[in-house]
Amino acid sequence: MPELSRRSLLGAGVASAGVLATGCASGPAAGATTPTFVIVHGANGNGASYAPLVAALTAAGYRALAVDLPGHGPGAHFPLSYQAPQDLAALASEPSPLARVGLDDNVEHVVRVVRQVAEHGPVVLLGHSMGGATITRVGGEIPDLIARLVYFTAFCCVRLRSVLECFTVPEAAVTLAAAIPSLGDPERTGVTRTNWRSADPAFLAAAKLALADDYDDAAFRTALNGMEPDETWAVTVGDARGEPATWGRIPRSYIRCSRDRMLPLALQDRMIEEADAATPGNAFDVHTLDAPHLGPQNPQPVVEILTSLVRLS
């Protein structure tokens, strides 16, 4: 298997630290028709990564909930070898409980959340980076409970089968995913494992260029410290395709990040085009931010887009 798939797909997904809180909150204008934004993180992330976005949405009068996928957040796995002083040899080989988690588990978890939230009003379901694989499949399970799907520089598989397959096409050739080293072989450990606690200047420079090249250094280190070392390999290779008859009838929006070096803009555009071709009567509503993979350091531009979508849903 190519080097990218074996060692460095930190996630096709690393998607999560930076812009978007764990928990659910209601703004003063909350009511029966006020939508709830349900946010699904990407690889190596968790709900807490999205505290600034949830806080800003709440201040604007909306409900917002950032989900912790199985094996993330309070259920995350932090090997003892990941603590200081680190044992990198042990860290590269130690088994992870996340190896037992697949895309179906993520989908089942988010379906339960959406069913609960939908009892209180419309649901806008947002996936960031690899979180897009989960929300597509959730849309296929419960299309009538979702007012709108939002892909935030996220994977949207229709013709391409999986997150991993997305990285094999020409539009992904310039991705910097391979510049961030993973420990061990995911085909043996069942996870991609990344040492986000590394102080190696080369690692920090590569990670910042790939994920958040315009963040100040303090903000970037804060983002890194919110990431989790393990991400299940099964989600990366799982069938994440959306079906036109179910997923394809939900209104959807895409927030492109033009500075994204992890999920290149050309790949974002290819996924948008393939989705629109599959559902010609229901095309993406597209927005563009001058932002890197983690999104803008200040979440306000994201909030402005999301609140504008309420009028469309």
Side-chain angles (χ1 to χ4, degrees), residues 7-31:
R7 301 241 177 226
S8 26
L9 242 198
L10 54 80
V14 140
S16 18
V19 293
L20 292 162
T22 194
C24 184
S26 299

Side-chain angles (χ1 to χ4, degrees), residues 59-306:
Y62 296 91
R63 296 184 294 262
L65 166 67
V67 177
D68 287 307
L69 293 172
H72 295 274
H77 177 61
F78 290 91
L80 183 60
S81 55
Y82 189 61
Q83 305 300 123
Q86 292 187 314
D87 182 342
L88 296 183
L91 185 59
S93 59
E94 182 176 330
S96 173
L98 266 73
R100 300 189 295 269
V101 176
L103 185 54
D104 288 347
D105 299 298
N106 285 358
V107 172
E108 181 180 352
H109 180 75
V110 176
V111 164
R112 286 199 302 269
V113 172
V114 172
R115 287 189 187 279
Q116 290 178 308
V117 172
E119 295 178 3
H120 308 290
V123 174
V124 176
L125 182 61
L126 180 150
H128 186 201
S129 190
M130 202 160 80
T134 295
I135 70 167
T136 296
R137 290 277 308 279
V138 171
E141 294 287 329
I142 49 171
D144 296 332
L145 295 183
I146 300 170
R148 179 169 293 271
L149 293 168
V150 180
Y151 292 80
F152 180 32
T153 193
F155 292 89
C156 179
C157 298
V158 180
R159 291 181 60 189
L160 298 169
R161 180 183 182 278
S162 66
V163 168
L164 179 58
E165 187 172 345
C166 290
F167 278 93
T168 67
V169 300
E171 290 82 358
V174 298
T175 180
L176 295 183
I180 304 178
S182 292
L183 298 172
D185 184 345
E187 292 182 330
R188 296 182 61 185
T189 64
V191 297
T192 53
R193 180 168 286 157
T194 306
N195 184 16
W196 302 113
R197 291 180 178 166
S198 173
D200 176 23
F203 171 84
L204 292 173
K208 186 175 181 183
L209 186 62
L211 301 173
D213 64 340
D214 63 348
Y215 280 35
D216 62 60
D217 288 342
F220 179 62
R221 288 194 296 270
T222 297
L224 285 191
N225 276 282
M227 293 183 182
E228 299 172 1
D230 289 358
E231 185 54 61
T232 173
W233 183 243
V235 172
T236 306
V237 299
D239 189 341
R241 288 174 293 185
E243 294 292 338
T246 50
W247 158 85
R249 69 173 191 254
I250 305 170
R252 60 179 186 263
S253 299
Y254 200 104
I255 302 176
R256 302 159 77 244
C257 285
S258 61
R259 298 171 63 97
D260 195 335
R261 307 292 295 278
M262 179 67 66
L263 194 61
L265 189 61
L267 179 56
Q268 297 175 54
D269 288 342
R270 173 171 173 160
M271 292 186 291
I272 292 169
E273 292 168 4
E274 290 181 351
D276 289 351
T279 60
N282 182 29
F284 265 113
D285 162 61
V286 179
H287 304 259
T288 302
L289 292 175
D290 180 24
H293 189 67
L294 297 188
Q297 185 173 326
N298 182 333
Q300 191 56 39
V302 182
V303 172
E304 291 172 1
I305 292 173
L306 293 180

